[in-house]
Amino acid sequence: MPAKAPDFALSNQKKDEKCLKDYADKWLVLFFFSEDNDEDCTAEIVEFSQKRSKFSSYNSVVVGISPDSVDTHRKFAKKHKIGIELLSDPQKETVKNYKAWGIRNILAEDDECVIRSTFLINPNGMIVYSWKNMQVKGHVSKVLKKVAEFQAG
């Protein structure tokens, strides 16, 4: 059963404030990642960015959110030629509202952090599919396939 996507108001790497309603006419692929320049996060973001036009062909837009600052996102996006929006959530409010924050066991220690998560939100603002704590390899292709399935009806 679809659930209403939590609203947000966050700044992107260009310091523009973005809200959920800014994407109301499109399918939104909203993914949460732990930090810029992390090896797995970088691979995922670069792949999402490389497939941006393919997502766009399905009337969808890809947006990433992490607790990193706007300045960190800006430098990261420039360094890796990222063509998608990266939103800054330093207070972790949106991350927590999407239940993408929790305890993970890292190097034999429990640590509170971002749980890699992706949400597919339809043009009406409803979460119609989600992926939690998934592996990076192959994930972007799975998301693209799911977007195409929803577009096909």
Side-chain angles (χ1 to χ4, degrees):
M1 185 76 141
K4 183 77 178 142
D7 199 5
F8 55 83
L10 301 170
S11 295
N12 67 14
Q13 68 265 38
K14 296 176 183 176
K15 299 185 179 179
D16 297 327
E17 187 173 279
K18 295 294 182 166
C19 302
L20 182 62
K21 68 181 178 203
D22 294 329
Y23 309 101
D25 61 336
K26 302 209 178 277
W27 288 78
L28 175 61
V29 175
L30 189 65
F31 71 97
F32 293 86
F33 63 101
S34 58
E35 61 184 339
D36 298 327
N37 296 305
D38 169 83
E39 184 178 346
D40 285 339
C41 295
T42 300
E44 180 180 34
I45 294 165
V46 166
E47 188 174 359
F48 268 128
S49 186
Q50 289 170 341
K51 293 189 177 175
R52 180 179 60 156
S53 63
K54 189 70 172 164
F55 279 97
S56 182
S57 73
Y58 290 109
N59 191 37
S60 62
V61 62
V62 178
V63 176
I65 297 177
S66 88
D68 283 331
S69 71
V70 169
D71 289 336
T72 301
H73 281 334
R74 183 181 41 75
K75 291 173 189 170
F76 173 77
K78 184 177 180 181
K79 176 181 177 182
H80 294 282
K81 298 177 176 64
I82 302 302
I84 61 173
E85 283 190 305
L86 301 176
L87 303 180
S88 176
D89 184 19
Q91 304 303 317
K92 303 172 189 82
E93 185 177 317
T94 302
V95 174
K96 290 176 181 175
N97 286 343
Y98 278 82
K99 296 180 178 40
W101 183 260
I103 303 292
R104 271 193 7 198
N105 189 284
I106 301 171
L107 301 175
E109 288 188 31
D110 286 342
D111 193 22
E112 205 172 17
C113 60
V114 174
I115 305 297
R116 189 176 285 113
S117 307
T118 303
F119 299 88
L120 179 56
I121 302 169
N122 73 16
N124 298 319
M126 303 299 286
I127 298 171
V128 295
Y129 204 86
S130 63
W131 297 261
K132 290 279 193 165
N133 208 15
M134 68 288 168
Q135 297 296 313
V136 170
K137 187 173 181 171
H139 176 64
V140 173
S141 294
K142 289 175 186 173
V143 174
L144 186 57
K145 182 178 178 186
K146 188 57 72 177
V147 169
E149 286 175 16
F150 274 101
Q151 296 286 325

